Amino acid sequence: MPKVNPAEIRSAFTFSKPIQVRFSDIDGYLHVNNGIYFSYFEHARAVFLYEACGWNVLTVGTVVGRVEIDYLRPIHMEDQVEALVRCTRVGNSSFDLDQYLVGKNAAGEDLVFAKCKCILVSVDMKTMKPVPVPAEYRAKLEQS
């Protein structure tokens, strides 16, 4: 995998959220368990849709169609982590989000911990069937 530059990655994103590393996230190897990364990315996606897009999930929800995660380095308890989120594609009923976990370790080094690509599908909350991405959300996704 090619080396990634944290500063270059940060400059490509306008949305970020701090992530709190909890003691319960740490496994027997003394770093964040790989499964917890899914929770970090999920939280960041939900906040992105709410804050950046004003998405009302009570009428049109989103479900995950696909998730890919590249683990680049372990996260430890003392690390300061933030999640970056941006939309890279909007289709008829689905859209792609690129996400990164970046931050600083205890020594102050700027690091990239993980990368995620998620394909989300907009669904009617009554039928749980795919529906077109609403125009007001599409416009905000395309600007992110």
Side-chain angles (χ1 to χ4, degrees), residues 32-50:
V32 172
N33 181 273
N34 68 80
I36 301 297
Y37 286 61
F38 282 91
S39 294
Y40 292 170
F41 284 124
E42 178 184 44
H43 174 72
R45 282 193 301 274
V47 175
F48 168 79
L49 291 174
Y50 179 74

Side-chain angles (χ1 to χ4, degrees), residues 12 14 18 29 40 55 60 70 81 83 113 120 122 131 144:
T14 58
Y29 297 105
Y40 292 170
W55 199 292
V60 176
D70 293 325
V81 181
F113 300 107
L120 292 168
S122 58
V131 295
S144 70

Side-chain angles (χ1 to χ4, degrees), residues 15-19 35-55 57 62-69 83-87 95-101 115-121 141:
F15 184 86
S16 70
K17 267 301 165 201
I19 299 292
I36 301 297
Y37 286 61
F38 282 91
S39 294
Y40 292 170
F41 284 124
E42 178 184 44
H43 174 72
R45 282 193 301 274
V47 175
F48 168 79
L49 291 174
Y50 179 74
E51 290 183 2
C53 300
W55 199 292
V57 297
T62 60
V63 295
V64 172
R66 179 176 177 84
V67 174
E68 302 171 15
I69 296 180
L84 308 175
V85 184
R86 70 177 175 189
C87 182
F95 55 96
D96 298 356
L97 297 182
D98 275 356
Q99 299 178 261
Y100 281 86
L101 296 177
K115 174 184 178 182
C116 176
K117 178 179 179 178
C118 185
I119 300 172
L120 292 168
V121 179
L141 287 167

